[in-house]
Amino acid sequence: MRFEYEAAPEDTTHVNLQDSYGLFINGEFTSAQDGKTFQTLNPATEEVLADVAYAAESDVDRAVKAAQSAYDTVWSKLTGKERGKYIYRIARRLQEKARELAVLESLDGGKPIKEARDVDIPLAANHFFYYAGWADKLSYATFGGPPKSLGVVGQVIPWNFPLLMAAWKIAPALAAGNTVVLKPAETTPLTALHLCKLFQEIDLPKGVVNIICGDGATGANLIKHPGIKKVAFTGSTKVGKQIAQIAHAHQKAVTLELGGKGAHIIFEDAAINQAVEGVVRGIYFNQGHVCCAGSRLFVQERVMDAVIERLSRRIETLRVGNPLDKNTDIGAINSKMQLDKINDYISIGIDEGAKVRRSSCKLPTRGYFCAPTFFTDVSPAHRIAREEIFGPVLSVLSFRTTEEVIQKANNSPYGLSAGIWSEKGSKVLAVSQRLEAGIIWDNTFNQFDPAAPFGGYKESGFGREGGMQGLYPYLSV
Amino acid sequence: MERLAVQKTYKLFINGQFTRSESGRYIPLDTNQGTVNLCRASRKDFRNAVQIARPALATWSGYSALLRGQILYRISEMMEARRNDLMDRLTELPDLKESDPTKELNAAIDHVLWYAGWTDKYAALCGTVNPVTGPYFTFSYPEPMGIVGIVAPQNSPLCGLVNVLMLAMLSGNVSVVLADQRFGAVAITLSEIIATSDVPPGVVNMLTGDRSELLPHFYSHMDVNAIIHPDRYEELSQEEIMNLFKAEGHNLKRCPQLAQKSELEWQSEPYGPIDFSKLTETKTVWHPAAMP
Amino acid sequence: MKWEGWSLSVDRTAIEARAVELSKRSIKKASKVEALTHILQMIDLTTLEGADTQGVIKALCHKAMHPHQRGYPSVAAVCVYPNLIADAKAYLNGSTVHVASVATGFPSGQVPMSAKIQDTEAALRAGADEIDMVISRGEFLKGNLEFVSDEIKAIKKICGDVHLKVILETGEIGSLEMIRQASFLAMTAGADFIKTSTGKISSAANFLSVMVMIEAIRDYHLATGKKIGFKPAGGIKRAKQAIQYLVMVNEILGSEWLTPELLRFGASSLMNDVLMQLEKEQSGQYQSAPYYSLAY
């Protein structure tokens, strides 16, 4: 017999979803000056969720000016203690509205409700809580040097963790005394806009945070705006390089959180069953839409068969489907465009001669879905072993010795994350030191915390978010 | 009859050796004592220097912090021992009449000492134990960025150079330095001091040459991880800047913004830990902590 | 030993994270009824008290056969001390409910080997359908693995086709890795089931020990093709907890383990909570204890 779990959908009745949303400029929701809008979809059903105002250059200008005015007249004049109180209010209000925001995040982005509920929203609230406490302690972070804010910062965030990325950007910027213009991703604007409603509720001074929606052109207008003193971007390495050029040439401070091709290493002396779970968390968490995903799995040859056997069984138990179902492990791919890209890479992998294994799960007939997939017999030269896929697709490679796997892991232009599974502490620490990556997860993967700095080496970007180090990009030091 | 002095050839310093430019070119340098010739490094000299620097990174960053500190201290010792040589190089500079060479030299030696003492301490300030939620021991610590291209300041003959070089060295980076053309003889003399201070070959590579010729290569080389260029925009047009950073876009070099300093500020204020962090990468490590 | 599944390493933090994840499965409505119905039929309804009398056993057996007036299926077995096997057999006559008996100096196992053998032989003579033995935890902790292996082999030899459940008493074993080691030891020595606990110490079945033992069974299966049964016992009082264990077994071992042949729940008060939950699913009303008969 099979034991089937009946559908367990999260209740959506308490979510106050509007038909249309404006731009949040100077504390008010406002239409775009030219009245242009775009639609945001539920990727699990392909249904339109809402119309959202599209910010043209003049709207960007309005937003930056509002932020500048708020900086000049209010925010830069507040003490750190008072700034901190506002940020604490944001954190608390987020906790109060956690379930509503989790449902909204799942609806708009396609991520499983259990992840939005247990990861995204609590971490977003914690991030505000963490940086609220720094606001009146900045001189300790700068070792006594006078902490100076920068002014208006321009922030552009991606669609994989919409509210969490907004928190990662806004919280340290405000704590350091800056004001903000932030652009959420085109496909996932809703939680950021609901965050604006929350700003109104807590009486955040007008213009301190402005949120404008749009596409790449909107982001480019924001970054180029002469009023922007600092640029923070999370997204693809390709766009990140363009942003770096613009920012450097205009002498704006810049931090970038870009792509990755994380090396996930299983040594023969690992706790194999937990390592396999780590692999699952590393690549199938959030449909693999994770910049620090462990997308290159290196398995020591002696345990390769054991790992593959377990992983093959394990992906069959991953539940793919309605993101709002509390038992769903893998939700919807964020957009049609992303699904096409993932499917292209799967074809590329097959054409390159790698052996594909996919879950036999049934996919919903509507919406954008992708069965959990991994490739074996992958060689380091394969494109699927080098390029970021940003989906639930893993490339498995083998190694024989520790030295070899360090070479292979570092053989990438990226350097965001790495994972190491071994029960031998000295080896784990030594390998951690040798890997060129900003985050090393030993015997775990995809852990995040506001107190832990996060960011990449090499082409995965520069600057850190989280922790004391996450303040520096927002201070003139 | 007066003794005829032996004249010195100022060569490039690459891989711990003094070598002429592969191009055979030179730059005449006017001094109060007459004209000397500096080598005019080519892009191939630069490329060779980067190639040499890459393996030196593992050696230098692999040294204990204490040992790096002792070697930097050794540099200050050697500067003191060869202060007459350095003084001669400073005093023969024709266009630094306002500067006091003695103050410049004393500050430079003292600054090296400052950095020597930092090597085994900065990580205790810039590193953190991160109090995360959950059964994990999580810590972050600075690692060197790798190969740093240094475009030496144009307004400070010795202190500026010493400060940017030490900023790179103290945390384990290796560097390829483009000395300012006017101060080439000072830079090569400093290299002779470094060459006798137990600094492993390739950790510091000193080039003299034409800035506008070499700058695009510094910014475009895919194996250079970071650039220090404290006065980078001064003589460049907007288009030239865009071009430099177009190249920079190739491998996302780190180009930390360092405070611009006057000649006297180079003498008065060495860099501190916040600046050190601009030439390091923060690595965060998570490890579970649980009873078996 | 070749590696296949025999690595003893267990990472507590990671396995705990997985256990928490599985415990959050939302099992509602029809699937909840299905799960509870399975669990009911997998219960080893247990009384292991010095004060047990024939009267108690009679009540237990009646409850085992007739869980509730509404006519739910009977449980898998009753579990009693050897002295009371014959009475249980008599009361259960004609039903499908098995009689399981603890043996081998239960619960401590601190009796001579000869006594363990006699204890088991007596239980079998009295008609036990299943034997729940304890391992010598002292010998195991001393590192005398061969002793433990030999005692299991000896008991299994006596049992023959009678199902042997080997109790590891995980609460007395110091670490998850030792639980994993003990699991392999028992399975290779001939256990048909491995069981978490005696129920006689405060630390009994919990998420971690259950996860470790289930994974050991899975690894043993991958390596040998043999299917070993699993019995969590001790402290399982709530239906919700039993459902969480059922989900763990379902997702790690697979649905072919969801049969009384391979999965049992050693419990007493669990049974009424399962019945109350089943009734609640039927009626939509939350239930009250006095409406459910005692098993003693």
Side-chain angles (χ1 to χ4, degrees):
Chain A
M1 57 136 275
R2 279 185 67 87
F3 176 33
E4 304 289 353
Y5 305 159
E6 187 164 318
E10 177 70 35
D11 182 19
T12 60
T13 50
H14 58 301
V15 177
N16 180 20
L17 184 64
Q18 298 169 204
D19 294 334
S20 67
Y21 290 85
L23 308 169
F24 187 70
I25 297 174
N26 204 29
E28 308 289 343
F29 286 96
T30 149
S31 308
Q33 273 182 345
D34 61 6
K36 201 174 158 191
T37 63
F38 64 100
Q39 293 178 327
T40 183
L41 301 184
N42 178 343
T45 62
E46 304 177 46
E47 285 162 5
V48 176
L49 287 168
D51 285 321
V52 179
Y54 175 93
E57 197 171 354
S58 60
D59 300 307
V60 171
D61 187 54
R62 277 199 294 151
V64 175
K65 284 184 172 142
Q68 186 66 53
S69 167
Y71 179 77
D72 293 338
T73 59
V74 185
W75 202 244
S76 67
K77 299 210 164 23
L78 285 180
T79 61
K81 185 175 76 177
E82 295 304 310
R83 282 202 313 275
K85 284 184 190 169
Y86 279 112
I87 306 170
Y88 277 124
R89 281 188 177 191
I90 298 170
R92 270 291 186 256
R93 207 36 91 97
L94 268 178
Q95 289 172 327
E96 287 167 18
K97 299 196 164 194
R99 190 55 60 91
E100 177 187 341
L101 288 164
V103 172
L104 202 56
E105 200 74 301
S106 179
L107 279 172
D108 200 22
K111 67 172 60 208
I113 183 68
K114 71 169 183 183
E115 288 176 9
R117 178 194 68 202
D118 296 348
V119 181
D120 291 65
I121 311 302
L123 274 180
N126 293 352
H127 217 81
F128 279 106
F129 204 86
Y130 177 82
Y131 278 107
W134 268 119
D136 57 356
K137 302 169 189 69
L138 297 174
S139 62
Y140 293 94
T142 56
F143 311 119
K148 288 189 299 243
S149 55
L150 297 166
V152 182
V153 301
Q155 304 174 322
V156 176
I157 58 169
W159 42 261
N160 56 345
F161 295 93
L163 187 70
L164 182 57
M165 288 301 105
W168 279 27
K169 293 284 181 283
I170 295 170
L174 296 188
N178 306 285
T179 57
V180 169
V181 180
L182 176 139
K183 188 194 87 68
E186 193 182 357
T187 59
T188 54
L190 293 185
T191 44
L193 292 166
H194 277 248
L195 183 63
C196 297
K197 297 209 262 185
L198 187 152
F199 293 151
Q200 290 178 322
E201 290 166 17
I202 62 118
D203 294 325
L204 186 70
K206 288 175 192 289
V208 168
V209 180
N210 304 271
I211 293 193
I212 52 166
C213 300
D215 56 11
T218 313
N221 285 331
L222 175 59
I223 282 153
K224 284 180 190 153
H225 195 289
I228 296 295
K229 299 295 186 303
K230 184 239 150 58
V231 172
F233 171 76
T234 297
S236 73
T237 291
K238 185 165 166 256
V239 176
K241 287 180 178 181
Q242 295 163 0
I243 288 174
Q245 185 190 9
I246 296 169
H248 279 314
H250 293 93
Q251 304 220 42
K252 297 169 195 277
V254 58
T255 46
L256 303 167
E257 217 58 91
L258 307 177
K261 193 75 184 174
H264 206 163
I265 302 167
I266 301 181
F267 285 102
E268 61 165 337
D269 54 3
I272 296 290
N273 292 322
Q274 282 75 61
V276 169
E277 284 309 315
V279 171
V280 169
R281 188 180 173 91
I283 190 65
Y284 301 124
F285 173 64
N286 200 34
Q287 297 73 247
H289 301 328
V290 184
C291 49
C292 53
S295 50
R296 285 185 298 157
L297 177 63
F298 294 98
V299 184
Q300 198 153 19
E301 286 191 10
R302 289 183 183 188
V303 292
M304 179 63 94
D305 291 348
V307 168
I308 295 303
E309 185 171 29
R310 281 158 181 74
L311 189 58
S312 301
R313 286 169 58 103
R314 181 67 175 90
I315 62 171
E316 290 293 325
T317 67
L318 288 168
R319 304 172 65 86
V320 185
N322 180 9
L324 284 173
D325 191 308
K326 284 175 263 190
N327 290 326
T328 292
D329 298 316
I330 298 185
I333 300 300
N334 184 264
S335 67
K336 172 83 165 54
M337 203 174 80
Q338 189 59 27
L339 180 61
D340 291 344
K341 182 185 163 197
I342 294 165
N343 285 334
D344 282 350
Y345 270 111
I346 292 172
S347 305
I348 288 166
I350 292 167
D351 292 344
E352 283 176 319
K355 198 168 151 199
V356 67
R357 305 199 196 207
R358 312 195 72 179
S359 163
S360 62
C361 63
K362 269 179 75 175
L363 299 180
T365 49
R366 293 204 68 184
Y368 315 130
F369 289 92
C370 180
T373 302
F374 70 91
F375 283 98
T376 55
D377 301 334
V378 179
S379 92
H382 284 163
R383 284 183 65 192
I384 55 167
R386 301 195 63 77
E387 297 173 18
E388 184 177 42
I389 300 172
F390 223 61
V393 181
L394 173 72
S395 297
V396 186
L397 299 97
S398 69
F399 71 95
R400 295 153 296 171
T401 66
T402 308
E403 196 59 45
E404 177 190 354
V405 78
I406 291 170
Q407 303 293 336
K408 285 182 165 176
N410 288 340
N411 181 229
S412 167
Y414 293 116
L416 188 48
S417 72
I420 303 166
W421 290 86
S422 163
E423 292 293 291
K424 191 169 174 64
S426 55
K427 178 165 74 182
V428 165
L429 286 174
V431 175
S432 297
Q433 288 176 334
R434 295 274 308 276
L435 292 177
E436 294 164 1
I439 308 112
I440 312 282
W441 284 300
D442 296 335
N443 294 310
T444 185
F445 210 92
N446 271 344
Q447 298 290 341
F448 309 96
D449 194 281
F454 180 98
Y457 284 33
K458 304 196 280 191
E459 291 199 12
S460 291
F462 44 77
R464 292 294 177 270
E465 296 185 293
M468 179 181 77
Q469 293 86 340
L471 287 169
Y472 298 150
Y474 293 98
L475 290 169
S476 171
V477 287
Chain B
M1 183 181 165
E2 200 179 325
R3 182 180 171 273
L4 188 64
V6 179
Q7 286 192 334
K8 180 166 171 180
T9 303
Y10 289 98
K11 295 182 184 177
L12 309 177
F13 180 55
I14 298 172
N15 198 21
Q17 295 169 329
F18 293 90
T19 168
R20 287 198 173 80
S21 168
E22 63 79 35
S23 68
R25 300 177 305 174
Y26 65 95
I27 315 165
L29 178 68
D30 294 328
T31 74
N32 296 337
Q33 309 299 311
T35 300
V36 296
N37 287 320
L38 297 170
C39 292
R40 180 174 166 184
S42 67
R43 66 187 164 87
K44 287 186 182 171
D45 294 317
F46 168 66
R47 179 204 62 192
N48 291 346
V50 173
Q51 237 165 40
I52 291 300
R54 180 53 64 186
L57 174 63
T59 309
W60 183 238
S61 62
Y63 277 12
S64 71
L66 172 66
L67 181 54
R68 281 204 305 275
Q70 288 178 334
I71 289 172
L72 296 194
Y73 180 76
R74 171 75 177 163
I75 293 175
S76 73
E77 278 182 345
M78 292 305 293
M79 287 173 80
E80 196 75 72
R82 292 189 53 178
R83 60 180 299 136
N84 290 344
D85 193 356
L86 285 167
M87 275 300 284
D88 289 348
R89 297 291 80 72
L90 291 170
T91 47
E92 74 188 14
L93 291 170
D95 48 356
L96 272 177
K97 297 185 190 88
E98 289 168 23
S99 169
D100 178 346
T102 307
K103 277 188 183 163
E104 175 78 3
L105 177 56
N106 288 346
I109 295 171
D110 289 353
H111 284 190
V112 174
L113 201 69
W114 159 265
Y115 293 108
W118 266 115
T119 59
D120 52 3
K121 297 168 192 72
Y122 75 97
L125 288 181
C126 304
T128 49
V129 170
N130 311 314
V132 300
T133 302
Y136 300 95
F137 179 59
T138 308
F139 54 96
S140 299
Y141 63 96
E143 288 195 335
M145 279 184 167
I147 299 179
V148 180
I150 297 177
V151 185
Q154 292 173 304
N155 62 346
S156 168
L158 183 58
C159 266
L161 173 63
V162 157
N163 272 283
V164 289
L165 182 60
M166 292 298 131
L167 178 64
M169 286 181 85
L170 83 98
S171 50
N173 295 292
V174 296
S175 50
V176 180
V177 186
L178 177 57
D180 185 76
Q181 202 168 311
R182 292 177 307 148
F183 309 137
V186 182
I188 297 302
T189 303
L190 179 69
S191 303
E192 291 163 7
I193 288 166
I194 290 169
T196 51
S197 302
D198 297 328
V199 176
V203 170
V204 176
N205 302 279
M206 190 74 70
L207 306 181
T208 51
D210 182 78
R211 187 183 276 235
S212 59
E213 176 193 350
L214 290 173
L215 214 50
H217 300 293
F218 269 68
Y219 275 85
S220 68
H221 197 301
M222 293 289 285
D223 208 33
V224 172
N225 303 103
I227 302 261
I228 315 182
H229 188 168
D231 46 21
R232 57 184 158 195
Y233 303 121
E234 273 179 0
E235 77 279 35
L236 299 178
S237 72
Q238 182 71 23
E239 191 189 345
E240 284 169 325
I241 298 172
M242 279 299 273
N243 281 339
L244 280 188
F245 286 109
K246 190 173 180 184
E248 190 256 0
H250 283 167
N251 71 334
L252 284 172
K253 281 182 188 61
R254 281 73 174 127
C255 300
Q257 292 189 324
L258 295 164
Q260 297 205 330
K261 298 187 186 205
S262 68
E263 186 180 350
L264 288 181
E265 281 168 341
W266 282 117
Q267 288 179 7
S268 60
E269 272 298 309
Y271 291 120
I274 288 279
D275 299 304
F276 304 163
S277 72
K278 293 175 183 172
L279 271 191
T280 58
E281 298 282 2
T282 295
K283 178 177 271 181
T284 297
V285 179
W286 289 67
H287 199 290
M291 297 293 285
Chain C
M1 281 191 286
K2 66 172 183 152
W3 185 83
E4 265 307 305
W6 303 97
S7 161
L8 293 180
S9 298
V10 178
D11 184 278
R12 174 182 288 254
T13 304
I15 202 170
E16 191 165 13
R18 174 77 171 130
V20 167
E21 185 184 37
L22 286 172
S23 71
K24 286 186 180 175
R25 286 292 192 216
S26 179
I27 306 298
K28 297 285 188 252
K29 298 178 190 158
S31 47
K32 185 173 183 183
V33 171
E34 189 184 353
L36 292 168
T37 310
H38 282 309
I39 290 164
L40 186 62
Q41 295 171 84
M42 292 168 175
I43 288 175
D44 281 3
L45 192 61
T46 302
T47 183
L48 294 167
E49 301 297 333
D52 286 346
T53 60
Q54 287 155 349
V56 169
I57 298 303
K58 188 173 182 178
L60 186 81
C61 291
H62 190 81
K63 181 79 174 172
M65 290 185 289
H66 309 290
H68 188 258
Q69 55 270 31
R70 216 198 276 278
Y72 290 102
S74 53
V75 302
V78 294
C79 184
V80 299
Y81 269 118
N83 266 352
L84 296 159
I85 296 168
D87 300 303
K89 285 298 279 187
Y91 297 132
L92 290 169
N93 193 20
S95 88
T96 56
V97 179
H98 285 192
V99 176
S101 172
V102 295
T104 71
F106 183 94
S108 72
Q110 298 280 27
V111 297
M113 193 61 214
S114 57
K116 293 182 184 182
I117 288 171
Q118 282 172 16
D119 194 14
T120 310
E121 284 173 342
L124 291 169
R125 269 199 306 276
D129 303 301
E130 302 168 4
I131 297 291
D132 291 21
M133 72 171 284
V134 292
I135 63 167
S136 298
R137 281 88 73 188
E139 296 296 330
F140 176 79
L141 290 170
K142 264 162 57 186
N144 198 353
L145 305 185
E146 208 172 341
F147 181 96
V148 178
S149 181
D150 285 349
E151 73 180 349
I152 297 169
K153 283 178 186 159
I155 302 298
K156 178 59 189 169
K157 196 172 167 198
I158 301 166
C159 287
D161 290 339
V162 170
H163 260 217
L164 177 63
K165 305 187 199 114
V166 176
I167 303 170
L168 308 182
E169 194 66 312
T170 55
E172 287 184 349
I173 298 182
S175 73
L176 299 182
E177 304 202 336
M178 288 212 267
I179 293 173
R180 185 167 165 84
Q181 185 178 46
S183 300
F184 284 129
L185 197 62
M187 290 187 287
T188 49
D192 297 301
F193 266 73
I194 52 175
K195 174 176 169 182
T196 58
S197 319
T198 60
K200 291 292 175 191
I201 61 169
S202 58
S203 173
N206 60 42
F207 282 148
L208 289 181
S209 56
V210 165
M211 285 287 291
V212 169
M213 289 173 70
I214 292 173
E215 285 194 340
I217 292 170
R218 192 265 316 274
D219 290 342
Y220 186 75
H221 174 61
L222 290 179
T224 64
K226 290 181 191 162
K227 288 182 182 174
I228 305 298
F230 175 61
K231 179 176 172 183
I236 312 173
K237 292 184 164 58
R238 297 282 162 207
K240 185 175 179 181
Q241 197 181 359
I243 292 174
Q244 286 166 335
Y245 292 162
L246 191 82
V247 166
M248 288 175 184
V249 169
N250 184 42
E251 297 206 23
I252 295 171
L253 288 170
S255 56
E256 68 249 52
W257 255 265
L258 302 187
T259 156
E261 299 301 308
L262 290 167
L263 180 60
R264 295 286 179 86
F265 292 89
S268 45
S269 57
L270 171 68
M271 186 174 176
N272 270 351
D273 196 53
V274 168
L275 292 169
M276 285 162 73
Q277 298 302 321
L278 279 167
E279 280 296 300
K280 188 257 160 189
E281 288 303 312
Q282 297 261 336
S283 66
Q285 291 172 289
Y286 293 107
Q287 302 294 301
S288 167
Y291 295 87
Y292 293 82
S293 61
L294 296 172
Y296 51 88

